[in-house]
Amino acid sequence: MAPSLTLGAMTKHVTTTMENLERESASRELEWLLSSFDETIIAVRSGLEECMALLDPTGQTSTLPLSSSRSESLKGIISRAGSHIIRADMQVKMFGLPYTRGLNACKLTLAPATPDHCLVLEQLVDVKNCVAGSLDLLHYASDKKTMCPLDGTSVMQKLHALQANVLAARAALKGPSSHRLFPYHAVGSKAFDPPLPSSVAFNLYISEAALVAEIRTLDYQSTPEAHKSGFLPTLDMSSPFGFRERFAAAVGFRGDGHHSSSDPGLEKIVEYNGIRVKVRESVKVESQDPSLMAVWAKLGGLEHVLGSATKALELVMKAAGF
């Protein structure tokens, strides 16, 4: 007669059996989940291709108005094709800028693009690179010559890579890194015709899918060497703007121009192009870009889809013992 099992042994046997059944069930669910990812990949690829189309420089050009609120400091239009600015016409009323003949403002016009001088939004270059990288990854994963066997680990790696690219693209559209902002960076003066005077800093960037233009007039401060020698810092005498404005900017003369309280660097001495300057006046204008807003929304949707797929796969793989 076979010995009867003790209560503890029976409990252990039942527990082991249940765990094996759960793992088997999870393994079948994992197999089904992996086979269903084809639909997810198709949706992700479609969304990425739509983003690429919206970022294509040969597609529709976005022409946006620029208008400062509560003042006439900045009025104009700006046109974007892909990551390139192809047109910019602005009328600016700020201290230190002389009026253009025939206008009650200073006119700033983008110079014709050349191989050496063209205005590029580096953030959009980053966005396009991230989207293109994701499409390359999907192409590599679906290519029969390079396709790996379908398993949870490889799929998880691809999902993480896609998610990282989408998050990076969203971050680039959200705002620039500090090294692309004043006082570390500004658009080159020769991007405009005539060139900007040295007492003006112009920045153009993307913030939450909106195009942002910032113009600052600067007071040049004497460097330690210039202070000891009694000389003023060198001025850009080739600028077509009046000598009176250049001299006023150099000696720190203050007029009645208005200040923008939103600029935290106003009246603060900073180093710009190797010279200490003080921001005399600042104007910031935002213009919503419908195409970039569409890219922003599509990337947000892709982020949600990839996040949900990754979380589901992690749960099932854990249950299956991976």
Side-chain angles (χ1 to χ4, degrees):
M1 183 175 180
S4 59
L5 295 174
T6 64
L7 180 61
M10 290 180 62
T11 302
K12 183 178 180 180
H13 175 72
V14 171
T15 302
T16 302
T17 302
M18 292 296 295
E19 289 177 349
N20 290 335
L21 290 174
E22 288 176 357
R23 279 197 293 269
E24 290 175 5
S25 176
S27 296
R28 289 193 295 271
E29 186 176 355
L30 176 59
E31 185 178 351
W32 172 84
L33 185 62
L34 291 174
S35 65
S36 68
F37 270 135
D38 286 343
E39 296 180 2
T40 301
I41 295 304
I42 291 173
V44 171
R45 180 185 287 111
S46 177
L48 292 170
E49 289 173 347
E50 289 175 3
C51 289
M52 284 295 284
L54 289 167
L55 296 168
D56 189 352
T58 62
Q60 184 177 2
T61 299
S62 295
T63 299
L64 309 172
L66 296 175
S67 181
S68 53
S69 59
R70 300 188 300 275
S71 74
E72 295 185 356
S73 299
L74 176 60
K75 304 287 183 183
I77 60 172
I78 194 163
S79 297
R80 177 188 63 81
S83 58
H84 287 69
I85 300 300
I86 59 175
R87 180 189 177 191
D89 288 302
M90 295 167 283
Q91 294 186 16
V92 186
K93 292 182 179 180
M94 296 177 69
F95 172 76
L97 290 179
Y99 289 167
T100 300
R101 181 176 298 177
L103 295 174
N104 191 28
C106 174
K107 185 176 182 180
L108 302 181
T109 303
L110 188 69
T114 66
D116 296 329
H117 296 97
C118 60
L119 188 48
V120 177
L121 295 171
E122 297 293 341
Q123 289 169 261
L124 296 187
V125 175
D126 292 344
V127 174
K128 190 172 182 179
N129 287 340
C130 289
V131 174
S134 297
L135 286 171
D136 288 343
L137 179 63
L138 290 177
H139 176 74
Y140 181 84
S142 61
D143 191 337
K144 293 182 179 180
K145 296 180 181 179
T146 57
M147 186 168 54
C148 299
L150 197 63
D151 66 90
T153 302
S154 63
V155 172
M156 181 67 75
Q157 290 174 346
K158 291 179 179 62
L159 287 176
H160 280 312
L162 289 169
Q163 202 170 14
N165 278 344
V166 169
L167 287 172
R170 286 266 294 175
L173 278 179
K174 184 175 179 62
S177 54
S178 59
H179 76 276
R180 289 176 174 170
L181 296 174
F182 180 86
Y184 308 106
H185 173 76
V187 174
S189 63
K190 293 183 179 179
F192 291 88
D193 184 21
L196 293 177
S198 59
S199 59
V200 175
F202 178 81
N203 285 85
L204 192 66
Y205 57 90
I206 305 297
S207 177
E208 296 187 355
L211 193 67
V212 181
E214 290 183 348
I215 301 180
R216 294 175 175 84
T217 54
L218 310 174
D219 284 346
Y220 278 78
Q221 309 296 301
S222 298
T223 62
E225 292 76 15
H227 180 74
K228 291 178 182 179
S229 63
F231 290 100
L232 294 173
T234 303
L235 298 175
D236 183 8
M237 301 306 290
S238 63
S239 169
F241 295 89
F243 172 78
R244 181 176 59 184
E245 285 74 18
R246 297 198 302 271
F247 180 79
V251 300
F253 175 77
R254 302 183 179 281
D256 297 325
H258 78 278
H259 292 195
S260 173
S261 59
S262 62
D263 188 346
L266 204 61
E267 297 297 333
K268 180 181 178 180
I269 296 178
V270 297
E271 185 169 316
Y272 172 65
N273 285 343
I275 302 176
R276 294 187 304 161
V277 300
K278 182 185 292 185
V279 178
R280 178 65 178 86
E281 188 178 354
S282 174
V283 175
K284 177 180 178 181
V285 175
E286 296 184 13
S287 186
Q288 297 293 330
D289 189 319
S291 295
L292 296 184
M293 291 176 67
V295 174
W296 172 265
K298 290 181 185 298
L299 289 174
L302 292 175
E303 181 183 348
H304 176 74
V305 169
L306 291 170
S308 299
T310 302
K311 185 176 181 180
L313 185 57
E314 286 176 345
L315 291 173
V316 176
M317 287 183 65
K318 184 178 180 180
F322 290 95

